[in-house]
């Protein structure tokens, strides 16, 4: 477990960062790699970036930070997580190994609702503590922005508790957090047989109250045979739209319900999972500018065999993001680098596609394109220094956490490079 000090004690990253190798795409979609580059940070924002030899004279008086030839990427963005919950579900992992399917486990009272039971019993402080430990693993690998969903409370009180923890994590760790209200994640036991009534509760009571409390940045639904129907999903989207909240969707994970096309009609930021996505869904996502969020950790953990339609998404020009989907049921994984590896190995993404998937496209999936996902003048200083000589190594090593240094929101928040010395 990593122990990190608080944002207040991290040193300012203001000054000139030099002796850097900028990764391709770091400055934008078509930007080439740049050897011997420099980044100037002032008041926690990037004020200049370019070749070291071109640094304007005025910046030479600022504090100097030697990057020792490190490879530099934008801060990573983990755009789909269920980070706040209590308990764990290793028993279900074992049940699936013994032959049960994810659907069977869910229908027998396990699955999401077992995490709901544990999460309802936990206090806000207990949830904060456990989520903070998990968050630190992600931050140590260069994550600078993260989405955190509710969906293990399934009542106003307990969804609020989860979302409040997400907001507290943002403050405590100086990381950008986007909260997503996922009240329509599963049917709570007290609504057994009354799923439409529950959806009304989500739309009329929970969502407006939580939005009013500024706890909701986006709204999500689990649209699936073991989740909610297309009609129920649309009802939730209408409620979100009336509150001015963007939507996203857990879509086509286990079957082709047509959820992605519906989400695209509501201008969804993203459709996530999408193993069973069909051509009309891809076309609709393309028209709407919806990001395809690929979750190889859930695919791997559930030992799925249906691959998401990567080649068709690529042909259609739908932006693809990659995320951990960290959750206790289907993706107990706390490494975005491992997801880069799996996106390449299991889904056949290229290295540049996988890098865009955890930076620029992930930022787009959260509506953060203007501030995150690439390095640029006027943007908050979020970048990672890797002790690696090329980008492919981000995808290549497995199970070895490179000792990176992370400038997050203008502070040197992780200092692995200094501990290990210069780049290899
Ligand atoms: O993204 N598919 C639904 N939601 C989660 C799983 C949640 C759980 O099993 O606890 C997912 O895979
Ligand atoms: Fe999920």
């Amino acid at each position: 477990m990593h122990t990190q000090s608080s944002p207040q004690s991290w040193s300012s990253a203001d000054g000139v960062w030099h002796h850097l190798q900028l990764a391709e795409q770091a400055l934008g979609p078509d930007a080439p790699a740049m050897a011997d580059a420099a980044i100037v940070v002032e008041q926690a924002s990037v004020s200049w970036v370019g070749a070291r030899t071109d640094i304007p004279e005025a910046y030479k008086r600022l504090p100097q930070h030697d990057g020792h030839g490190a490879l530099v990427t934008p801060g990573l963005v983990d755009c789909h997580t269920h980070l706040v919950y209590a308990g764990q579900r290793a028993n279900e992992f074992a049940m699936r190994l013994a032959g049960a399917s994810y659907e069977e486990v869910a229908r027998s009272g396990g699955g999401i609702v077992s995490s709901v039971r544990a999460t309802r019993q936990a206090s806000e402080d207990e949830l904060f503590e456990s989520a903070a430990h998990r968050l630190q693993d992600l931050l140590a690998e260069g994550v600078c922005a993260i989405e955190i969903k509710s969906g293990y409370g399934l009542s106003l009180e307990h969804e609020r508790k989860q979302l409040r923890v997400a907001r507290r994590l943002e403050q405590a760790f100086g990381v950008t957090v986007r909260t997503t209200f996922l009240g329509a994640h599963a049917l709570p036991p007290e609504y057994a047989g009354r799923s439409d009534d529950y959806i009304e509760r989500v739309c009329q009571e929970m969502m407006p109250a939580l939005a009013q409390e500024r706890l909701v940045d986006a709204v999500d639904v689990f649209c699936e045979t073991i989740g909610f129907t297309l009609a129920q999903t649309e009802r939730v989207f209408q409620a979100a739209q009336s509150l001015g909240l963007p939507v996203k969707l857990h879509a086509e994970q286990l079957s082709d319900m047509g959820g992605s096309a519906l989400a695209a009609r509501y201008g969804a930021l993203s459709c996530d999972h999408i193993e069973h996505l069909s051509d009309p869904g891809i076309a609709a996502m393309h028209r709407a500018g919806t990001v395809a969020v690929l979750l190889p950790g859930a695919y791997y953990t559930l030992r799925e065999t249906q691959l998401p339609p990567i080649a068709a998404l690529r042909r259609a020009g739908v932006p693809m993001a990659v995320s951990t989907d960290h959750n206790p049921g289907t993706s107990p994984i706390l490494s975005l680098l491992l997801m880069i590896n799996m996106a390449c190995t299991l889904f056949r993404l290229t290295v540049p596609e996988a890098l865009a998937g955890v930076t620029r496209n992930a930022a787009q999936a959260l509506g953060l394109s203007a501030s995150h996902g690439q390095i640029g003048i006027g943007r908050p200083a979020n970048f990672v220094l890797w002790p690696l000589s090329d980008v492919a190594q981000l995808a290549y090593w497995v199970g070895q956490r490179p000792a990176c240094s992370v400038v997050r929101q203008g502070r040197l928040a992780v200092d692995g490079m200094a501990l290990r010395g210069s780049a290899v």
Side-chain angles (χ1 to χ4, degrees):
M1 200 60 66
H2 301 266
T3 47
Q4 293 182 6
S5 49
S6 68
Q8 292 73 28
S9 64
W10 295 331
S11 58
S12 164
D14 277 13
V16 179
W17 289 79
H18 59 83
H19 202 187
L20 310 175
Q21 273 193 77
L22 273 193
E24 63 191 66
Q25 307 183 68
L27 303 180
D30 302 314
M34 193 189 292
D36 202 10
I39 300 173
V40 179
V41 178
E42 290 180 290
Q43 294 180 356
S45 289
V46 173
S47 55
W48 188 87
V49 55
R52 182 181 54 83
T53 47
D54 295 342
I55 297 175
E57 211 40 52
Y59 292 135
K60 294 188 178 157
R61 289 190 299 273
L62 299 179
Q64 303 288 306
H65 307 277
D66 188 345
H68 298 290
L71 176 72
V72 173
T73 66
L76 306 189
V77 179
D78 196 353
C79 66
H80 178 140
T81 85
H82 308 249
L83 197 73
V84 177
Y85 59 84
Q88 49 77 28
R89 308 211 317 256
N91 62 324
E92 295 178 11
F93 178 71
M95 281 167 74
R96 288 196 305 274
L97 289 175
S101 69
Y102 182 58
E103 289 94 325
E104 283 162 359
V105 171
R107 291 190 202 286
S108 69
I112 295 168
V113 295
S114 71
S115 292
V116 171
R117 280 191 292 274
T119 303
R120 285 179 172 180
Q121 277 166 22
S123 70
E124 187 179 308
D125 285 345
E126 287 165 345
L127 291 175
F128 177 85
E129 284 304 317
S130 63
H133 281 300
R134 294 190 278 266
L135 178 61
Q136 287 175 89
D137 278 346
L138 295 169
L139 299 181
E141 275 190 354
V143 168
C144 291
I146 184 169
E147 186 245 25
I148 300 179
K149 300 176 193 291
S150 66
Y152 292 122
L154 309 186
S155 70
L156 177 57
E157 173 192 355
H158 297 293
E159 291 285 298
R160 175 189 286 130
K161 184 172 66 178
Q162 277 193 281
L163 293 168
R164 281 173 51 94
V165 169
R167 289 282 191 244
R168 281 175 59 186
L169 291 168
E170 173 158 41
Q171 291 305 317
F173 291 94
V175 57
T176 302
V177 171
R178 301 303 279 178
T179 57
T180 298
F181 171 57
L182 181 55
H185 193 197
L187 191 62
E190 61 274 19
Y191 277 87
R194 295 187 295 132
S195 64
D196 282 337
D197 291 350
Y198 178 63
I199 288 295
E200 284 315 304
R201 187 95 187 230
V202 164
C203 295
Q204 290 180 16
E205 182 207 24
M206 295 158 71
M207 196 192 306
L210 296 169
Q212 169 96 42
E213 293 168 38
R214 300 249 173 272
L215 289 171
V216 182
D217 297 323
V219 172
D220 191 355
V221 177
F222 184 27
C223 179
E224 193 49 71
T225 48
I226 56 167
F228 294 95
T229 65
L230 211 54
Q232 290 167 334
T233 300
E234 182 155 23
R235 174 76 188 96
V236 176
F237 284 176
Q238 285 166 347
Q241 198 172 52
S242 72
L243 291 166
L245 295 169
V247 301
K248 41 181 55 231
L249 191 65
H250 279 75
E252 327 327 338
Q253 180 185 9
L254 307 169
S255 61
D256 182 10
M257 303 262 294
S260 299
L262 172 71
R265 283 216 308 281
Y266 282 81
L269 287 170
S270 69
C271 292
D272 304 40
H273 288 288
I274 56 166
E275 277 84 345
H276 293 261
L277 178 63
S278 61
D279 286 345
I282 294 173
M285 287 171 66
H286 174 64
R287 280 194 300 274
T290 299
V291 177
V293 177
L294 307 171
L295 303 171
Y299 172 92
Y300 166 82
T301 303
L302 294 178
R303 293 182 302 139
E304 294 288 351
T305 53
Q306 172 75 40
L307 285 164
I310 302 298
L313 288 163
R314 188 184 281 136
R315 269 198 309 276
V318 174
M320 293 183 277
V322 174
S323 167
T324 60
D325 188 17
H326 177 82
N327 76 74
T330 65
S331 196
I333 295 173
L334 286 165
S335 170
L336 196 51
L337 289 181
L338 180 58
M339 297 304 94
I340 296 178
N341 170 270
M342 287 189 183
C344 293
T345 306
L346 299 176
F347 292 174
R348 313 308 291 168
L349 260 62
T350 64
V351 169
E353 284 174 337
L355 181 62
V358 294
T359 54
R360 194 173 64 254
N361 294 345
Q364 186 180 337
L366 298 182
L368 290 176
S369 291
S371 55
H372 291 72
Q374 63 189 63
I375 299 168
I377 294 172
R379 289 166 174 263
N382 287 305
F383 52 88
V384 189
L385 290 81
W386 304 95
L388 304 171
S389 53
D390 59 284
V391 171
Q393 289 190 58
L394 290 173
Y396 163 79
W397 299 108
V398 179
Q400 180 221 47
R401 201 180 278 265
C404 60
S405 289
V406 183
V407 171
R408 193 167 69 237
Q409 294 191 347
R411 289 173 183 271
L412 182 59
V414 179
D415 195 10
M417 291 284 289
L419 296 175
R420 281 273 181 96
S422 53
V424 291

